[in-house]
Amino acid sequence: MSSTNTGVLNEVKSVAPINRSKLSFVLGDVVFKFTALFFALVVLMLLIGIVAMLIQGSLPAFQAFGWGFITGNDWDPVQDIYGAWPSLVGTLVAALIAMLIGLPLSFGIAIFITEMAPQWLKRPVGTAVELLAAVPSIIYGMWGLFFFAPFFAAYIQPGLVAVLGPLPIFGVLFQMPTLGGSSGVSVLTAGIVLAIMVIPFMASVMRDVFEIVPGSLRESAYAMGATTWEVVWNVVLPYTKTGVVGGVMLGLGRALGETMAVTFIIGNASQLGSSLLDPGTTIAAKLANEFNEADGLQMDSLVAMGLILFIITFVVLMLSKLMLMRLAASQEGSKT
Amino acid sequence: MNLYTRRKLINTFNMTAAVLTTVVGVMLLSWILIVLIMKGVGAINWTIFTEMTPPPGSAGGLANALVGSLMITMVAVVIGTPIGIMAGTYLAEYGKQSVFAEVVRTINDILLSAPSIIIGVFVYALMVKPMGHFSGWAGAVALAIIVIPVVLRTTENMLSLVPTQMREAAAALGAPKWMVISSVVYKAAIAGMVTGVLLAVARITGETAPLLFTALNNQFWSTDMNDSMANLPVVIFQFAMSPYDDWRELAWAAALLITTLVLVMNILARVLLPENKTR
């Protein structure tokens, strides 16, 4: 009994000297906290710096062309006239194609992984999908240029033109390319490769949100005699719809800002073709191709396009954050 | 057709579609990997590691680009990791739910999803233009800006997974907060934090767009970070887009090297972190 008492006393004694150096402790705390705060501020400053630089760099372009810069069709370094329209439309169209193709595919993959795959298959397929999201985009670009585009031009393009070309309104989108010949390099192939790039990304987000659906909800629906599809469509999807939309938005943001894959495949034409099979360009591809050789007003115009791209991806990200936050909020609401 | 059969039919159709989409997805992605391996393995040999990038029309290697990439990546990690870890520590341990912390968190998400080419443009204006020439330093800074948000986010997530009781226990022993964080919380979260750094390295290994306007390329052997520097991604871009067969061969070899590296790092990160909690 007494021996344990002295043990405690000894420990108290050994703690005592620490109190004497309290000053250095407090100092350490202050230094540590402010270092952490400082680096958090660095992150803040980075974004402010990027935005400030983009705005400052693009001012001359907006001063020279006004709002007409956005709708301007020409990109003519010789006469020093620049417009963002063809690149802007190319960016949006390629991303739209990527979403139209990528969305159903990643939805299907997510359903397969969460609702259908046997347990032993879930992890391998899931991991494979996630690993593929890590493959550098330049690899997709090389594959697209050397393998997919020629394959597309040889086997898919003629069929598309023959079947969809004669259609009344949409037909104009599927005319044989007038500008790029038959190399398969076009806005459509760029959109398809972008779709393949964002599929792993969107599929893994969808799988994650599908998995948060409580098992009891699924089981009740099955107990009522619902088919797997009815469970997915009437239970899982309504429960997770904001999360799904958030994931899709993240994929869209990626598709909009993707540079290397697109630069390889889209053909980098500065004119806007009417057909999806014509080559085109995107803002990111235009920057990658011309930035290093540009100066003066051309450089300013390129930075201005960068600003436009940044604003678009910013808006898309904010929308996706809003959606994911609403999902989190509704989840907390249902718990209580 | 009665309702029952119709429901079953719809179900069969949609489920078959789901299986088919998975098959199509897996096939497309294996097509990419198979192409990469077939083209890459044929092009890889020892000279890749010993010789410089050649002028058009002759054989050569990738030695200068390998070294350049290694140096740029290392400097980027050295710059980016401390910033990311300290800022992540601030959010998890000090800022928590405060307005400032929420603002930094949102900004971090913006940086995380900002098109990487914009970051290239930013560093061009920040460093290349004032210095008057392309440089390895500029490339490293551009990549560091990509490292920061990745490390910040994983650090914050990993630190917030550490149970509060551990902090309380350490504080009850009389440890000041900085000691609690540095010798208890960090130790508990170290595996996750290393994973974050690894994922960041994997991410920048294949990044091409930010290097185009910063490090550019250099045909010769150079370890001078103050000069334009050869690096694998830009070499792949230039060589793959060229009409020369030798160059294209080298581009495939470099592509295989990079992809293997990235995948190995991702798998390592997964092994370090058995439960997938990176989000």
Side-chain angles (χ1 to χ4, degrees), chain B residues 3-25:
Chain B
L3 184 63
Y4 181 67
T5 352
R6 218 183 71 193
R7 283 176 53 205
K8 278 195 86 167
L9 259 176
I10 291 177
N11 184 53
T12 317
F13 179 79
N14 283 323
M15 290 302 119
T16 318
V19 175
L20 279 181
T21 52
T22 311
V23 171
V24 168

Side-chain angles (χ1 to χ4, degrees), chain A residues 79-91:
Chain A
Q79 293 178 48
D80 233 15
I81 297 173
Y82 305 100
W85 193 246
S87 316
L88 183 60
V89 172
T91 307

Side-chain angles (χ1 to χ4, degrees), chain B residues 97-233:
Chain B
Q97 304 301 318
S98 69
V99 176
F100 174 68
E102 287 296 343
V103 169
V104 172
R105 224 165 265 143
T106 307
I107 281 176
N108 194 59
D109 283 351
I110 298 171
L111 285 179
L112 200 58
S113 66
S116 56
I117 194 151
I118 302 278
I119 291 168
V121 173
F122 171 62
V123 176
Y124 178 88
L126 188 75
M127 293 180 70
V128 177
K129 220 162 147 192
M131 286 161 76
H133 56 84
F134 297 99
S135 75
W137 292 118
V141 168
L143 292 185
I145 296 177
I146 296 171
V147 168
I148 292 170
V150 180
V151 173
L152 191 159
R153 184 179 244 194
T154 34
T155 304
E156 196 207 343
N157 287 349
M158 291 306 139
L159 295 188
S160 50
L161 285 179
V162 176
T164 320
Q165 287 94 316
M166 285 177 74
R167 293 188 185 88
E168 288 168 351
L173 287 174
K177 191 160 184 174
W178 68 272
M179 227 179 217
V180 173
I181 294 171
S182 62
S183 48
V184 176
V185 181
Y186 279 171
K187 265 185 194 151
I190 190 73
M193 288 160 73
V194 173
T195 311
V197 177
L198 212 57
L199 286 175
V201 176
R203 168 101 199 262
I204 59 171
T205 305
E207 274 293 352
T208 316
L211 292 175
L212 279 176
F213 315 148
T214 51
L216 200 64
N217 199 352
N218 193 336
Q219 207 191 317
F220 306 103
W221 175 264
S222 166
T223 50
D224 181 9
M225 291 284 285
N226 207 15
D227 197 359
S228 60
M229 219 171 180
N231 57 84
L232 285 174

Side-chain angles (χ1 to χ4, degrees), chain A residues 177-307:
Chain A
T178 46
L179 300 168
S182 55
S183 57
V185 163
S186 69
V187 177
L188 183 59
T189 35
I192 295 174
V193 172
L194 270 181
I196 298 170
M197 271 194 66
V198 294
I199 282 171
F201 206 66
M202 293 200 294
S204 60
V205 174
M206 284 189 202
R207 184 203 58 184
D208 288 348
V209 296
F210 285 175
E211 271 172 359
I212 62 167
V213 176
S216 55
L217 272 184
R218 276 204 188 92
E219 284 153 18
S220 345
Y222 279 123
M224 301 282 285
T227 60
T228 314
W229 171 253
E230 284 162 349
V231 170
V232 169
W233 195 251
N234 299 320
V235 177
V236 174
L237 210 54
Y239 192 87
T240 56
K241 61 175 181 294
T242 44
V244 171
V245 175
V248 171
M249 290 289 203
L250 284 178
L252 177 62
R254 242 177 110 103
L256 285 167
E258 175 47 45
T259 311
M260 298 326 290
V262 174
T263 309
F264 270 96
I265 313 156
I266 203 160
N268 304 311
S270 48
Q271 286 302 313
L272 198 60
S274 61
S275 166
L276 290 180
L277 300 170
D278 282 328
T281 192
T282 69
I283 292 178
K286 194 109 187 142
L287 279 169
N289 275 311
E290 294 188 11
F291 195 82
N292 275 347
E293 277 91 43
D295 53 8
L297 199 54
Q298 187 181 3
M299 169 74 92
D300 303 329
S301 305
L302 286 170
V303 176
M305 291 212 296
L307 178 66

Side-chain angles (χ1 to χ4, degrees), chain A residues 25 28-29 32 37 44 53 108 112 130 132 134 139 143 146-147 208 225 229-230 259 292 306 314 318 321, chain B residues 7 11 14 21-22 29 31 35 90 106-107 109-110 118 122 176-178 212 216 240 259 262 266 270 279:
Chain A
F25 271 31
D29 255 356
F32 193 82
L37 179 65
L44 192 78
M53 185 281 301
F112 177 79
E130 276 174 33
L132 285 161
I139 309 297
W143 170 78
F146 293 120
F147 289 87
D208 288 348
W229 171 253
E230 284 162 349
T259 311
N292 275 347
F314 173 78
M318 280 302 150
K321 262 198 95 132
Chain B
R7 283 176 53 205
N11 184 53
N14 283 323
T21 52
T22 311
L29 296 163
W31 184 10
V35 158
Y90 180 81
T106 307
I107 281 176
D109 283 351
I110 298 171
I118 302 278
F122 171 62
K177 191 160 184 174
W178 68 272
L212 279 176
L216 200 64
T259 312
V262 169
N266 269 280
R270 234 153 254 278
R279 210 179 306 276

Side-chain angles (χ1 to χ4, degrees), chain A residues 134-156:
Chain A
V135 171
S137 60
I138 195 163
I139 309 297
Y140 287 91
M142 283 179 82
W143 170 78
L145 178 63
F146 293 120
F147 289 87
F148 183 71
F151 170 83
F152 182 86
Y155 298 105
I156 302 177

